[in-house]
Amino acid sequence: MTPSLQRLRRALVLATASAALAAPFGTALAQAYPSKPITLIVPWPAGGSTDRHHRALAEIASKHLGQQIIVENKPGAGGTLGPSSMAMTAKPDGYTISQYPMGMLRIPHMNKVQWSPINDFTFIIGVSGYTFGFVVKSDSPHKSFKEYIEAARKQPGKIDYGSTGIGTSPHLLLEELADKAGVQLNHIPFKGNADLMQALLGGHVMAASDASGWDKFVDGGQMRLLVTFGENRTKRWPNVPTAKELGYGIVSQSPYGLVGPKGMDPAIVKTLHDAFKKAMDDPKHAEVLATLNQDMWYRTGEQYKSWAIATYAKDKLLIDRLGLAAK
């Protein structure tokens, strides 16, 4: 055998041996997962509906994983700061994951970002979706949504509302509605539900468009719910009309789920998926969703990614139509 053939043979033997050692090592790492607490980023302030939901879900899922799941609130940039910073800085080892709100699929159409909403993430599981509503303080002069819109018609740009940030679903659905109604509203963005609710209660903003984090204030008589944005009226507030009923033809659904950085080990993704699916099926989780007036929105990681790709393309059309696309 020539020296060159001998070298080639030795290289092949070493490569085969390395592969044989690496495979069980990778499998062992996946089997040992998780061996320490997991951080779940909630990209909204503490106390809001998203925070309430994920803290309850994390507590149940922790029992199935055998490790604590620590919720870290990281609000900002319309809910995109937390997931995007995770994608750019966290290791894909399963110890840092994040909620993935709809703004992730919309804000890149409106502003230049350094991350891809699809390619920079590993999609783990689809979880739920928000119930959106529009609220005012209980002592507001606007007793109905029609009265609020009529006030905006008489005072263009003077009637304001707050949302959880530019490019979020609560913002875009109100802008779409204002466009159809032919009125100009003054939008005031906030970091999340908790500070938005405090601003409304303090009289710093006239109204709020948001997910059902206003529920306890409506039930407590501090706020009045004027309209919701589902396909049908909610079971919890059956006397409140939908935007569709009022003739605006707008139905807003904003599903969300959990993601990790790109490149995660499929075995680790499965471990996370299975634990959170069990948590989602737990009766205690059903109670939390009922409190928030939300439905289950289960999707596997693959189904979730396919939905995200399709929604990213579809929402570009909406943002272009509203004149909000990046120049």
Side-chain angles (χ1 to χ4, degrees):
M1 185 181 293
T2 64
S4 59
L5 283 174
Q6 287 178 334
R7 286 195 297 272
L8 177 60
R9 184 179 178 183
R10 280 197 300 271
L12 287 171
V13 170
L14 285 171
T16 303
S18 297
L21 286 170
F25 182 68
T27 304
L29 284 176
Q31 288 175 346
Y33 174 86
S35 59
K36 61 181 181 179
I38 296 164
T39 296
L40 169 57
I41 294 172
V42 172
W44 309 100
S49 60
T50 310
D51 179 69
R52 288 158 59 193
H53 179 208
H54 284 76
R55 285 182 186 278
L57 185 64
E59 183 179 352
I60 302 169
S62 293
K63 298 174 183 177
H64 298 292
L65 287 168
Q67 288 288 344
Q68 184 182 7
I69 299 175
I70 301 169
V71 171
E72 177 185 338
N73 297 95
K74 199 165 190 177
T80 65
L81 177 63
S84 62
S85 61
M86 175 203 68
M88 292 186 287
T89 62
K91 295 179 181 178
D93 55 8
Y95 289 103
T96 306
I97 59 176
S98 177
Q99 190 236 11
Y100 185 91
M102 281 282 285
M104 296 294 294
L105 301 170
R106 291 171 170 169
I107 287 178
H109 294 310
M110 302 167 66
N111 300 299
K112 291 182 179 180
V113 296
Q114 296 180 320
W115 43 270
S116 163
I118 306 298
N119 298 330
D120 286 338
F121 295 89
T122 297
F123 290 79
I124 299 168
I125 190 170
V127 179
S128 183
Y130 297 110
T131 292
F132 293 114
F134 190 81
V135 293
V136 294
K137 275 187 72 176
S138 55
D139 60 359
S140 168
H142 309 123
K143 306 298 182 185
S144 68
F145 192 69
K146 181 180 179 182
E147 289 183 11
Y148 176 85
I149 292 297
E150 285 305 316
R153 204 179 304 283
K154 294 174 184 176
Q155 305 174 68
K158 301 293 185 181
I159 302 300
D160 65 41
Y161 75 95
S163 83
T164 46
I166 296 171
T168 60
S169 294
H171 170 221
L172 292 184
L173 69 87
L174 251 293
E175 291 303 312
E176 185 178 9
L177 190 150
D179 182 59
K180 290 193 174 188
V183 299
Q184 181 185 350
L185 299 173
N186 179 26
H187 173 236
I188 302 174
F190 290 81
K191 286 185 178 181
N193 170 269
D195 54 337
L196 172 57
M197 293 295 98
Q198 290 307 309
L200 180 57
L201 289 171
H204 305 297
V205 65
M206 296 179 183
S209 174
D210 194 14
S212 54
W214 33 255
D215 58 347
K216 55 189 176 183
F217 301 111
V218 172
D219 290 342
Q222 296 149 291
M223 295 182 185
R224 186 185 307 121
L225 180 61
L226 301 185
V227 66
T228 57
F229 295 90
E231 185 69 40
N232 302 299
R233 293 191 180 197
T234 64
K235 295 177 182 177
R236 190 166 169 187
W237 300 283
N239 296 326
V240 179
T242 66
K244 182 180 176 183
E245 280 182 74
L246 296 179
Y248 295 105
I250 296 173
V251 176
S252 180
Q253 296 174 318
S254 187
Y256 60 79
L258 302 176
V259 297
K262 67 178 180 181
M264 286 177 63
D265 186 325
I268 290 176
V269 174
K270 185 179 186 305
T271 297
L272 285 167
H273 167 277
D274 292 352
F276 277 100
K277 179 61 168 68
K278 289 176 182 176
M280 287 168 63
D281 292 337
D282 191 291
K284 291 183 180 179
H285 180 244
E287 290 175 10
V288 174
L289 288 185
T291 300
L292 297 172
N293 208 67
Q294 293 184 195
D295 295 321
M296 193 101 82
W297 189 77
Y298 169 65
R299 298 291 188 278
T300 65
E302 289 183 2
Q303 291 169 337
Y304 191 14
K305 183 176 181 179
S306 296
W307 171 86
I309 292 170
T311 302
Y312 184 52
K314 177 175 67 68
D315 281 0
K316 184 179 187 303
L317 302 177
L318 171 63
I319 289 165
D320 287 344
R321 182 160 59 83
L322 292 175
L324 297 172
K327 304 300 183 185

